[in-house]
Amino acid sequence: MSAVIPIRAESASGCGDAPVLKERGQREVFCGLTGIIWLHRKIQDAFFLVVGSRTCAHLIQSAAGVMIFAEPRFATAIIDERDLAGLADCNDELDRVVTRLLERRPEIKLLFLVGSCPSEVIKLDLSRAASRLSGRVAPGVRVLNYSGSGIETTFTQGEDACLASLVPSLPVTSADAPASLLIVGALADVVEDQFSRLFSALGFGGANAPVRFFPPRHATDLPAVGPNTKFLLAQPFLADTARALESLGAQRLPAPFPLGVEGTTQWLQAAATAFGIDAATFDRVIAPGRDRATAALRRHKAQLAGKRIFFFPDSQLEIPIARFLARELDMQLVEVGTPYMHRQHLAEELALLPAGTSLSEGQHVDNQLDRCRSAQPDIVVCGLGLANPLEAEGMTTKWAIELVFTPIHGYEQAADLAELFARPLVRRMKLVA
Amino acid sequence: MQLTLWTYEGPPHVGAMRIATALKDVHYVLHAPQGDTYADLLFTMIERLPKRPPVTYTTFQARDLGGDTAELFKTAAREAYERFQPKAMMVGASCTAELIQDDPGGLCKALNLPVPVVALELPSYQRKENWGASETFYQMVRALAGPNAPAPGATKPGRAAGARPRCNILGPAALGFRHRDDLREISDLLTKLGIDINVVAPLGATADDLSRLGDAEFNVVLYPEIASLTASWLTRTFGQPATKTIPIGAGATREFIKEVAQLADIDPSGVLADADSRSPWYAKSVDSTYLTNKRVFVFGDATHAVAAARVASQELGFQVVGIGTYSREFAREVREAAKLYGVEALICDDYLEIEAKVAELQPELVLGTQMERHIAKRLGIPCAVISAPVHVQDFPARYSPQMGFEGANVLFDTWVHPLMMGLEEHLIGMFRGDAEFHEDAAPSHLGGHGSAAKSKPETTATAVAAVVPDADVTADSSAPQALEAEPVTGPASWAPDAEKELKKIPFFVRGKARRNTEQYALEHRVPVITVETLYDAKAHFSR
């Protein structure tokens, strides 16, 4: 084990113990059901059945937008007054709906019963329903349950809840199995493949230190986990999933998130260090990607340096992205809002943030809008409910959801991530000209 | 529980939001869990509104449920009033808040706000979006115009000599399909007739405007789904008659003009004489001949479905082979219309049933909603959108009403566009196997995804159909399915040469021909369908 490039604890100069403005009030955010929109594309044989109201069905189809031209692998079992009045037994109804669904989509291998606000409030026990149905439709289909309700989850936390529900199904390895690496969090396929190539060039893979990704692309191909598993979080919003993996004995490798050159390098470094890969090899493997990304970022830096940016809370990606924009593109952070801050998982990120950054957790949207208007930032990162109204007020915005639906992780995407922020600014100049 | 892939309408509180967003100085406080703010982006993205909808959500979370959600609501209502200073407020609950029963109306009474506060009772588990919009509009008008109602039995003062007649226009709302341009078209028409417009509501109306609704002589109802309840209350309360004709199509527009003229007691002959619509001439011109009796399936909200069927049948010469609506409240009107075309009305909001119906009818054109677009795309049938729910492309930048004479022009262009042009149709019927000019290509003027001619052996489709009993359940819908891949349901099997002959029938009527032949074989106990059977059936059905 030769330590290389020690990760600096910059609590003195970073935001490690910076005060955070905690707000309560109206929150302009998505609920966890929205996670279905990318998860159902990632796990290719999974189906997501929301048990909820017409509002839930309406949300998913509005958010899924144009994708509804495909035959999507999600649907809603809409609770009606008969279910509420106890005239119909909810469990019988659910069985009927699931039967009809599986007749229609026989290729499904994994069915998630997704809880919603209404189902949680009426205390419909979907976990029991899932185990009962699993018994009925086994071995062909596994039925699991998680909650994507707005009362419990915000936007990307839906992925966390989904993955955490999948952890108990993972095959468990014994204590004498070889050490393995697990990358946790849904990544774009192209990013996953890039990371795979980097890890095998570093000497991972095969029987010696196998690398697996979670979630897998197929429900039948679950990675094994055990006391010898070390895992890297690829996404900052996976608190419950990490806890579930740790309960199986796996250990989290502390690292910043693989956004930008610096984040990606330190993230890979954390794995290399844990598996004793020597500095020369590490440097040789990452150099091409790192140098390509550094060169590609230069072009965007000219457009972004010095620009003031304001983040409304959305996905928990705000802090890592703010770190990237501040350190690699010299942007100035006016306020970085996040719906939820997991201090332990974000420790390395917070240490890298410029000292004195205004951080906020939670939201009171009207107060936050007041702060944003008085600060007049050059660019505002916010949801689609706020973007056009702020543009109409003369601000430049970048809608946040795109950051979840676009490949942004790793070296090859660093410039794409920067370009997402440069584009609205360039557009504003073009249309004025 | 109902298995729902796509829902035609949102929950009723979205209807209430459509009214709140249409009105000017009214604010809506909605008791709802975190996440229900997604509805904002219907307005900011699909309709592209440059302002936030005037809606404050309490956005409670699980941790609040242990505490005092009622207090949370009161705080939100108080803050909303202080910040936005509305002239009237609406308060209500979303589906989840309905379950925790905090009584927003009662809580607001306790706040004692200095403006009218209208409490909305919208049962989320029984009713839907349009009902919510209609109920909300009615409650708002009752609350604001009600105090100005004349005493029962009082006679209405007649119009002063020389004064122009005045009417209200009711129905246009936020997130309404083409409401913006319909309103402009009909307003211009009324002005041309010499009628003044007192109030347009809810779109653009203030709380004060709503209180003035009683000043008009009569009401023009553009969208019964939203405004008929309110209009009948205004009839009872202020003695204002309301229009019944929906001016969609050139013929209906002329009828509408006559109806309005009668209510206003004026002479419409001048306006009717220079009625300026190109669509009747376009439909008469000879290149439209090939449109005759094209089989069309119509689905949407009741108003648009009934109007579209009439235009399709009377003004374009199509044959309406199916009509339906998801608006249960207006089922009767659609059933009446269906009788005119000798078909059974489909009253249903289950997407899967509508899909099955379209597959069964095999129409040559589908006029429907965004959802029928998916169905038509899957089945490879041309389609045009006539009704909400719609997507962002149906909130266009250009002027594109559905109503009035310009609306009729827009309908003609929009509905004919997806069809293959006449001569192209003939050539494909006569000569087959042209590499770029073949039936699997999209109509050539639509470009894009015209694929090269498939050179697969002709038996595969039948083989597939035989082994997949329900071939329309496929995960891959990226390409429209060839029609011949539909399952053979009849007991008679097809002889290979008959199957080959069937392929010579132009593709847009082939599905129908297959069904007719199988039905004929069934009725005449033909065990194997031969080329002879095919032509016997053709003769039998062309009686």
Side-chain angles (χ1 to χ4, degrees), chain B residues 243-434:
Chain B
T243 56
K244 300 278 179 288
T245 316
I246 305 299
I248 294 181
T253 301
R254 298 180 79 87
E255 264 173 49
F256 172 81
I257 291 172
K258 289 175 193 152
E259 185 186 24
V260 168
Q262 198 189 350
L263 290 177
D265 193 19
I266 52 175
D267 174 24
S269 51
V271 173
L272 284 172
D274 56 8
D276 178 30
S277 184
R278 289 182 207 93
S279 65
W281 166 241
Y282 271 51
K284 275 198 196 93
S285 66
V286 293
D287 68 324
S288 297
T289 311
Y290 82 105
L291 301 175
T292 311
N293 281 337
K294 274 214 178 287
R295 307 171 63 260
V296 55
F297 176 81
V298 184
F299 193 86
D301 69 24
T303 300
H304 286 90
V306 171
R310 174 180 164 166
V311 174
S313 162
Q314 293 179 9
E315 299 185 20
L316 292 174
F318 292 151
Q319 185 198 353
V320 176
V321 295
I323 180 171
T325 184
Y326 56 81
S327 315
R328 285 185 190 284
E329 293 86 359
F330 292 82
R332 190 185 316 154
E333 286 81 345
V334 179
R335 288 203 180 94
E336 287 300 311
K339 281 184 199 151
L340 300 174
Y341 312 108
V343 296
E344 176 113 16
L346 178 65
I347 312 295
C348 175
D349 65 350
D350 183 345
Y351 168 85
L352 294 174
E353 274 191 49
I354 288 113
E355 185 180 64
K357 190 74 183 171
V358 176
E360 177 205 334
L361 290 169
Q362 291 290 335
E364 292 163 78
L365 175 67
V366 174
L367 299 176
T369 73
Q370 183 68 13
M371 307 309 155
E372 280 63 55
R373 256 198 199 153
H374 307 315
I375 292 169
K377 182 171 173 168
R378 251 178 85 163
L379 300 172
I381 301 171
C383 174
V385 171
I386 57 156
S387 159
V390 294
H391 229 290
V392 62
Q393 67 269 41
D394 279 303
F395 283 90
R398 67 179 183 279
Y399 185 56
S400 39
Q402 304 282 290
M403 290 183 174
F405 293 127
E406 183 56 25
N409 297 340
V410 169
L411 294 185
F412 183 92
D413 293 345
T414 310
W415 298 3
V416 172
H417 179 77
L419 298 169
M420 190 168 284
M421 296 185 76
L423 196 53
E424 201 166 332
E425 235 178 48
H426 284 303
L427 290 170
I428 283 179
M430 285 174 68
F431 310 107
R432 306 185 66 256
D434 184 305

Side-chain angles (χ1 to χ4, degrees), chain A residues 105-422:
Chain A
R105 303 298 298 268
E107 74 284 6
I108 297 304
K109 297 279 181 290
L110 173 61
L111 174 65
F112 286 102
L113 299 180
V114 188
S116 64
C117 301
S119 75
E120 298 292 329
V121 168
I122 64 172
K123 301 276 189 287
L124 184 55
D125 193 343
L126 289 178
S127 64
R128 279 189 54 201
S131 51
R132 183 187 66 245
L133 281 161
S134 264
R136 280 192 31 201
V137 294
V141 187
R142 181 184 299 128
V143 186
L144 295 175
N145 143 260
Y146 74 89
S147 173
S149 73
I151 53 178
E152 292 158 296
T153 57
T154 305
F155 194 28
T156 47
Q157 285 176 325
E159 177 177 330
D160 188 28
C162 173
L163 297 187
S165 77
L166 200 48
V167 169
S169 312
L170 301 180
V172 177
T173 56
S174 59
D176 53 4
S180 64
L181 177 65
L182 187 67
I183 310 299
V184 184
L187 290 166
D189 290 349
V190 60
V191 175
E192 204 173 281
D193 295 339
Q194 289 165 8
F195 284 154
S196 284
R197 285 196 296 272
L198 281 171
F199 281 120
S200 48
L202 286 168
F204 286 85
N208 174 34
V211 180
R212 294 296 310 275
F213 289 83
F214 182 62
R217 295 182 198 185
H218 295 282
T220 45
D221 182 30
L222 294 170
V225 174
N228 287 340
T229 304
K230 295 189 167 47
F231 68 92
L232 269 177
L233 292 180
Q235 303 279 20
F237 43 75
L238 298 169
D240 292 352
T241 307
R243 204 172 27 246
L245 289 166
E246 281 161 352
S247 73
L248 297 178
Q251 301 119 53
R252 181 177 71 92
L253 299 174
F257 293 91
L259 296 160
V261 175
E262 185 180 37
T264 305
T265 304
Q266 293 197 18
W267 186 76
L268 292 167
Q269 179 73 65
T273 305
F275 284 76
I277 288 158
D278 65 277
T281 306
F282 183 78
D283 225 48
R284 181 175 49 77
V285 169
I286 67 148
R290 183 191 58 201
D291 298 345
R292 262 198 306 270
T294 310
L297 283 174
R298 237 170 257 140
R299 197 162 48 87
H300 298 295
K301 197 165 178 170
Q303 283 158 342
L304 293 172
K307 293 277 191 291
R308 300 164 65 249
I309 185 163
F310 190 110
F311 286 86
F312 280 79
D314 189 58
S315 64
Q316 297 180 53
L317 283 159
E318 296 83 7
I319 288 173
I321 289 175
R323 178 264 304 160
F324 159 70
L325 295 174
R327 292 174 64 99
E328 299 183 38
L329 295 152
D330 292 347
M331 290 184 82
Q332 293 178 20
L333 308 177
V334 178
E335 177 176 329
V336 182
T338 181
Y340 174 74
M341 193 185 294
H342 192 296
R343 284 201 167 268
Q344 201 187 355
H345 289 180
L346 287 171
E348 290 71 22
E349 290 286 355
L350 290 167
L352 294 172
L353 271 184
T357 304
S358 294
L359 299 172
S360 65
E361 183 181 15
Q363 191 175 32
H364 181 300
V365 73
D366 286 312
N367 291 352
Q368 197 168 27
L369 280 166
D370 289 345
R371 290 200 298 276
C372 181
R373 287 178 184 124
S374 70
Q376 285 295 315
D378 295 305
I379 184 163
V380 182
V381 184
C382 61
L384 291 172
L386 299 175
N388 275 335
L390 287 175
E391 290 276 351
E393 289 181 26
M395 295 198 200
T396 305
T397 61
K398 163 81 219 85
W399 46 283
I401 296 113
E402 210 174 4
L403 302 166
V404 179
F405 285 90
T406 315
I408 57 171
H409 297 74
Y411 290 129
E412 313 307 341
Q413 282 68 236
D416 300 345
L417 177 56
E419 202 269 341
L420 285 179
F421 294 91

Side-chain angles (χ1 to χ4, degrees), chain B residues 105-345:
Chain B
L107 292 170
C108 259
K109 277 208 183 71
L111 286 178
N112 204 7
L113 296 171
V115 292
V117 177
V118 178
L120 300 172
E121 292 289 336
L122 306 175
S124 308
Y125 297 91
Q126 305 164 23
R127 302 297 195 161
K128 299 198 283 287
E129 180 182 329
N130 281 333
W131 186 89
S134 170
E135 175 69 14
T136 302
F137 186 38
Y138 166 65
Q139 295 294 355
M140 289 300 288
V141 170
R142 252 191 90 137
L144 295 166
N148 300 332
T155 49
K156 268 184 79 165
R159 193 188 312 159
R164 285 160 57 103
R166 276 202 300 172
C167 71
N168 300 314
I169 298 182
L170 304 180
L175 215 63
F177 176 62
R178 307 295 169 89
H179 287 197
R180 177 196 70 193
D181 298 341
D182 284 352
L183 177 60
R184 182 175 134 193
E185 184 72 16
I186 298 305
S187 304
D188 289 354
L189 192 59
L190 293 169
T191 309
K192 225 184 264 176
L193 282 163
I195 299 169
D196 286 343
I197 293 159
N198 178 46
V199 171
V200 174
L203 193 60
T206 60
D208 183 47
D209 290 336
L210 294 185
S211 65
R212 295 190 299 111
L213 279 168
D215 299 348
E217 287 170 42
F218 65 96
N219 291 312
V220 170
V221 176
L222 294 188
Y223 307 104
E225 276 85 355
I226 292 174
S228 69
L229 181 64
T230 302
S232 57
W233 179 81
L234 288 167
T235 305
R236 288 198 306 276
T237 311
F238 292 95
Q240 297 168 329
T243 56
K244 300 278 179 288
T245 316
I246 305 299
I248 294 181
T253 301
R254 298 180 79 87
E255 264 173 49
F256 172 81
I257 291 172
K258 289 175 193 152
E259 185 186 24
V260 168
Q262 198 189 350
L263 290 177
D265 193 19
I266 52 175
D267 174 24
S269 51
V271 173
L272 284 172
D274 56 8
D276 178 30
S277 184
R278 289 182 207 93
S279 65
W281 166 241
Y282 271 51
K284 275 198 196 93
S285 66
V286 293
D287 68 324
S288 297
T289 311
Y290 82 105
L291 301 175
T292 311
N293 281 337
K294 274 214 178 287
R295 307 171 63 260
V296 55
F297 176 81
V298 184
F299 193 86
D301 69 24
T303 300
H304 286 90
V306 171
R310 174 180 164 166
V311 174
S313 162
Q314 293 179 9
E315 299 185 20
L316 292 174
F318 292 151
Q319 185 198 353
V320 176
V321 295
I323 180 171
T325 184
Y326 56 81
S327 315
R328 285 185 190 284
E329 293 86 359
F330 292 82
R332 190 185 316 154
E333 286 81 345
V334 179
R335 288 203 180 94
E336 287 300 311
K339 281 184 199 151
L340 300 174
Y341 312 108
V343 296
E344 176 113 16

Side-chain angles (χ1 to χ4, degrees), chain A residues 8-18 327 350-357:
Chain A
R8 296 160 298 167
E10 294 196 40
S11 56
S13 59
C15 290
D17 39 20
R327 292 174 64 99
L350 290 167
L352 294 172
L353 271 184
T357 304

